Amino acid sequence: MKNGVQVTGMVLSSMPIGEYDRRISLLTRELGKISVFAKGARKPKGAFVACTQTFAYGEFTVFPGRAYTLIGAEIGNYFEEFRDDFEKMYRGMYFCEVAGFFAQEGLDESERLKLLYATLTALSKGRMDPVLLKAVFDLRMLVIEGEGPEVTSCVGCRKPYSGGDSRFGLHEGGLLCGDCFVEDSIPVHDGTVRALNYICHAELSKLFSFELTEERRAELCDVVRQYFALHVDRKFKSEEMYGL
Ligand SMILES: [Zn+2]
């Protein structure tokens, strides 16, 4: 058997090729996002049938060449529960699609992979309201990208945020104090600012363990949606298809 490279990763998408094969997009810790050819992955009893499904997470052994070829896999989590829950499945597909959009081959994508895995786990266990979960994921993705907003001080005068209601400047990239605010900035309440701060800075293991009132949640989701749209000039397939 050929020697391959072992990587930890998740299948972001899976596409049929020819009669019996598949090509998967794999987000890995070691090699970034790679495209992998899986021979025989659509044969009824093929060895790679299950491990090439979207959401499969574990150890993959790939052989480098003009394109990577899959030669082995040890799956730790298939997120099987998504197959029985259509809403969770398409929400999960959205997270995979966004992670795949940002990820690149040859770069260290370990933070992105960790965020994706933690988000899918939270989704599968119903740990957070799914609309809020999407906002948390989207915002944290921008933080990984180095495009997170300034939420600890005013972007105008640099005065540290000291509590109280404030404004969020989409184009300015963060909070604006009472002296610096511009016309089209969005009013944000203290609870929303604290939640934004938490999402940008919390440890990943605690990222989904906070609560918000319905009003603050709506405000936060709205700010993140507009901020994300400003930075990511594209609509995702899963988002359009299911109206997320
Ligand atoms: Zn200011």
Side-chain angles (χ1 to χ4, degrees):
M1 191 170 163
K2 292 186 279 189
N3 285 326
V5 185
Q6 193 175 331
V7 295
T8 301
M10 173 171 278
V11 178
L12 299 177
S13 63
S14 183
M15 198 174 77
I17 296 280
E19 207 172 342
Y20 296 118
D21 312 325
R22 281 192 176 279
R23 183 178 301 286
I24 58 172
S25 174
L26 195 61
L27 179 62
T28 74
R29 198 157 63 193
E30 298 81 355
L31 303 170
K33 182 181 71 171
I34 56 172
S35 178
V36 182
F37 179 70
K39 194 165 175 54
R42 286 163 65 226
K43 280 189 178 165
K45 288 183 178 168
F48 298 144
V49 172
C51 68
T52 52
Q53 304 290 319
T54 304
F55 307 124
Y57 176 87
E59 308 291 320
F60 295 81
T61 310
V62 295
F63 188 77
R66 246 191 344 184
Y68 287 98
T69 309
L70 185 65
I71 56 175
E74 192 80 44
I75 300 303
N77 192 347
Y78 289 101
F79 288 96
E80 277 158 329
E81 55 276 34
F82 292 165
R83 307 204 194 292
D84 306 322
D85 188 325
F86 190 62
E87 188 188 331
K88 280 186 179 173
M89 189 183 71
Y90 66 67
R91 287 190 181 280
M93 282 165 67
Y94 168 80
F95 296 136
C96 287
E97 204 185 339
V98 172
F101 169 74
F102 284 110
Q104 292 181 47
E105 183 166 353
L107 294 185
D108 180 356
E109 296 289 358
S110 51
E111 280 305 301
R112 213 183 304 278
L113 180 63
K114 274 193 249 172
L115 174 62
L116 177 63
Y117 189 80
T119 307
L120 291 175
T121 303
L123 175 68
S124 75
K125 297 194 186 319
R127 253 181 227 152
M128 183 174 259
D129 162 73
V131 178
L132 181 58
L133 184 66
K134 177 179 184 289
V136 174
F137 172 85
D138 286 350
L139 182 56
R140 189 65 175 231
M141 197 49 98
L142 290 179
V143 172
I144 293 176
E145 210 49 30
E147 291 179 1
E150 174 56 75
V151 285
T152 55
S153 60
C154 169
V155 287
C157 64
R158 300 285 155 198
K159 195 165 69 187
Y161 176 72
S162 56
D165 298 346
S166 187
R167 285 183 173 251
F168 189 94
L170 290 169
H171 295 275
E172 293 73 19
L175 293 183
L176 289 164
C177 73
D179 298 328
C180 301
F181 82 87
V182 291
E183 270 305 305
D184 62 349
S185 53
I186 308 168
V188 277
H189 289 84
D190 186 42
T192 308
V193 176
R194 277 187 278 127
L196 286 167
N197 199 340
Y198 187 85
I199 298 165
C200 290
H201 301 108
E203 269 177 51
L204 199 55
S205 60
K206 296 178 190 148
L207 186 60
F208 305 106
S209 43
F210 68 93
E211 283 177 13
L212 280 178
T213 63
E214 207 165 312
E215 269 185 314
R216 296 294 84 81
R217 193 174 61 194
E219 197 174 86
L220 179 111
C221 291
D222 185 47
V223 167
V224 173
R225 187 179 48 74
Q226 293 192 56
Y227 187 73
F228 190 78
L230 199 69
H231 285 264
V232 183
D233 184 20
R234 116 170 216 163
K235 273 275 174 197
F236 294 97
K237 238 191 305 173
S238 44
E239 204 176 13
E240 283 192 316
M241 275 173 76
Y242 307 112
L244 292 182

